[in-house]
Amino acid sequence: MAKVLSGAGLRGQSAGETALCTVGKAASGLTYRGYDIDLLADKASFEEVAYLLLYGALPNRAQLTAYQDKLIGLRSLPETLKKALELIPADAHPMDVMRTGCSFLGNLEPELDAEEEHRTANRLIATLPAIVLYWYRFSHDGVRVDTLNAQVPSLAGHFLTMLHDKEPSALHTQVMNASLILYAEHEFNASTFTARVCASTLSDMYSCVTGGIGSLRGPLHGGANEAAMEMIEPWQSPDEAEAALLQKLANKEKVMGFGHAIYSERDPRNDIIKKWAKKLSEDVGDDHLYAVSERCEAVMWREKKLFCNADFFHASAYRFMGIPTKLFTPIFVCSRVTGWAAHVMEQRANNRIIRPSADYIGPDHSEWVDIDDRH
Ligand SMILES: CC(=O)SCCNC(=O)CCNC(=O)[C@H](O)C(C)(C)COP(=O)(O)OP(=O)(O)OC[C@H]1O[C@@H](n2cnc3c(N)ncnc32)[C@H](O)[C@@H]1OP(=O)(O)O
Ligand SMILES: O=C([O-])CC(=O)C(=O)O
């Protein structure tokens, strides 16, 4: 399933070792610590997967209960952070809010010693949903949401409750839980590699995660779920979608939510989120968005042999749950923080500063010219 990889962008080069994840290799093509993604998305809770990534093994029931309670206990935001979030304008991008929120928390509760790394990771997992939604609800609706929601055990339910002011349906909680699992970890992708490079200088966890957020934001990476929604939203029928896509391909435009740096034929996460998008489409009585998405998938494969990556059907799934488009990539952050943190810990445990070389392509020798003599 993996491509033959070579060329720019460090493609095809191993940049280190990991025990966390395989991409494009065994079984379904994606495993977390040896567990197949299909199995995890079907059977696990996001908290179980976070525990697996951070502590190295699946928790037993008592460990999982204790871990869920720990995360609930870490959910509340400090008042100073809430005040800072209230200063950010409503037209800011939520990914910028998360970058600032993460960094700001690092000022209030710095990670002074790497021995605190699990505590810092768990604090970020517990607070990132509230960081984005406290700001979003305050700046858009003038509401100061409850960032604790102690009666809602799962992070999936906590996110949706803060967004919609009511506890979500069982279906929405289930889909959100699966989505958080699908996005949790993906080997040496750009944002994780950013976090690892930062960790390799012996920097703190907040800096590593803040850097990861910045890398995830771009539309060639996590930002593609938002960009895919913006692309398909105006299309009212599959035929309209097909015509517009063919035009984009003729213009040599990148089509967001398609293709992958490592997978060659399919992204194993797509089948899973696509199945949930279909179920949600039936649940809300959607009459075109799912059909438009399916047509895009067929056209891109027929024309270019390009397949949907994890982001494409996430767009319609999130829309069917009433999630505003600009909160799509922030959900990815709420999930991927587990992978970033686990990679930071792995890097620290066997560290050498990451410092590759470059092929120099500039002039051999440049003559000095005094400033007043320059053109
Ligand atoms: C969760 C995630 O982060 S998944 C990735 C999310 N990103 C996107 O969906 C953005 C759209 N996709 C892309 O831009 C790319 O497929 C990437 C960034 C994911 C991977 O990039 P690369 O590894 O460079 O892609 P790859 O080597 O397979 O490209 C091969 C060819 O297909 C083209 N191609 C790849 N993806 C697309 C696309 N989505 N739309 C149109 N053409 C594409 C490339 O331009 C390239 O054409 P060329 O040979 O004429 O230059
Ligand atoms: O692996 C990648 O390059 C991008 C990706 O799918 C992810 O980070 O989930």
Side-chain angles (χ1 to χ4, degrees):
M1 190 177 294
K3 298 186 195 179
V4 178
L5 297 165
S6 62
L10 295 179
R11 202 69 82 258
Q13 297 175 40
S14 172
E17 294 181 333
T18 184
L20 288 162
C21 179
T22 61
V23 171
K25 293 194 175 77
S28 77
L30 175 58
T31 63
Y32 299 170
R33 292 201 188 273
Y35 294 95
D36 222 83
I37 192 64
D38 295 309
L39 205 63
L40 292 171
D42 186 36
K43 295 197 183 300
S45 67
F46 172 62
E47 287 76 0
E48 250 174 304
V49 170
Y51 189 101
L52 171 69
L53 292 172
L54 295 180
Y55 297 97
L58 283 172
N60 62 29
R61 191 167 291 285
Q63 287 166 328
L64 180 59
T65 305
Y67 186 54
Q68 273 170 330
D69 289 347
K70 185 202 292 271
L71 289 177
I72 293 171
L74 289 170
R75 277 184 193 171
S76 292
L77 301 188
E79 285 306 313
T80 324
L81 175 53
K82 289 187 190 168
K83 286 205 184 86
L85 293 169
E86 288 182 15
L87 292 174
I88 303 179
D91 63 357
H93 194 285
M95 287 296 281
D96 298 342
V97 176
M98 294 195 101
R99 196 189 56 216
T100 298
C102 175
S103 180
F104 198 94
L105 189 62
N107 288 284
L108 302 178
E109 303 171 8
E111 186 198 33
L112 298 173
D113 189 316
E115 279 176 20
E116 295 169 22
E117 63 187 7
H118 281 93
R119 200 247 171 224
T120 311
N122 288 326
R123 180 72 166 138
L124 282 168
I125 293 166
T127 52
L128 281 167
I131 284 176
V132 68
L133 287 172
Y134 183 86
W135 163 80
Y136 183 82
R137 297 296 317 282
F138 181 81
S139 61
H140 289 65
D141 307 326
V143 170
R144 291 185 167 95
V145 287
D146 175 9
T147 61
L148 178 56
N149 278 323
Q151 81 289 358
V152 185
S154 70
L155 273 159
H158 177 46
F159 186 95
L160 292 169
T161 305
M162 285 188 286
L163 179 61
H164 294 312
D165 265 342
K166 59 176 190 309
E167 281 190 40
S169 66
L171 174 63
H172 286 194
T173 308
Q174 205 179 357
V175 177
M176 195 62 170
N177 182 67
S179 165
L180 292 172
I181 291 172
L182 296 181
Y183 272 149
E185 162 56 12
H186 219 241
E187 200 221 31
F188 276 25
N189 60 85
S191 56
T192 300
F193 194 57
T194 303
R196 282 192 83 126
V197 170
C198 189
S200 82
T201 70
L202 304 184
S203 188
D204 68 301
M205 181 73 79
Y206 294 96
S207 300
C208 300
V209 172
T210 303
I213 295 171
S215 286
L216 191 71
R217 187 191 193 298
L220 296 189
H221 192 9
N225 55 13
E226 174 179 335
M229 190 69 227
E230 280 164 1
M231 178 181 75
I232 61 177
E233 199 157 35
W235 299 337
Q236 294 302 312
S237 71
D239 286 349
E240 190 185 342
E242 175 155 356
L245 265 187
L246 291 175
Q247 191 56 55
K248 278 180 180 295
L249 293 177
N251 297 344
K252 302 220 173 301
E253 284 175 48
K254 278 264 162 78
V255 180
M256 296 302 157
F258 286 86
H260 200 273
I262 306 293
Y263 300 121
S264 58
E265 285 174 8
R266 63 183 278 269
D267 180 331
R269 298 165 295 184
N270 179 53
D271 286 351
I272 303 170
I273 195 61
K274 184 181 172 188
K275 182 194 78 180
W276 285 119
K278 185 169 196 304
K279 204 169 175 58
L280 289 166
S281 150
E282 290 158 3
D283 185 57
V284 296
D286 152 64
D287 59 4
H288 72 286
L289 189 60
Y290 183 78
V292 160
S293 306
E294 267 202 315
R295 180 69 72 87
C296 293
E297 185 178 32
V299 170
M300 290 297 286
W301 185 253
R302 185 189 75 210
E303 297 294 319
K304 288 277 171 193
K305 293 285 172 282
L306 283 168
F307 52 90
C308 297
N309 58 47
D311 282 328
F312 190 70
F313 275 94
H314 259 108
S316 49
Y318 287 166
R319 173 51 34 85
F320 296 140
M321 291 195 285
I323 299 172
T325 308
K326 62 184 190 168
L327 293 178
F328 289 5
T329 316
I331 300 174
F332 199 154
V333 173
C334 295
S335 162
R336 185 56 60 87
V337 62
T338 53
W340 292 333
H343 276 275
V344 168
M345 294 176 191
E346 194 178 54
Q347 181 67 37
R348 286 173 172 177
N350 185 16
N351 189 54
R352 186 174 194 195
I353 190 167
I354 298 174
R355 201 299 187 193
S357 303
D359 297 322
Y360 179 67
I361 55 164
D364 280 343
H365 175 76
S366 301
E367 287 298 331
W368 175 258
V369 181
D370 282 338
I371 192 158
D372 293 327
D373 298 330
R374 291 178 209 158
H375 300 299

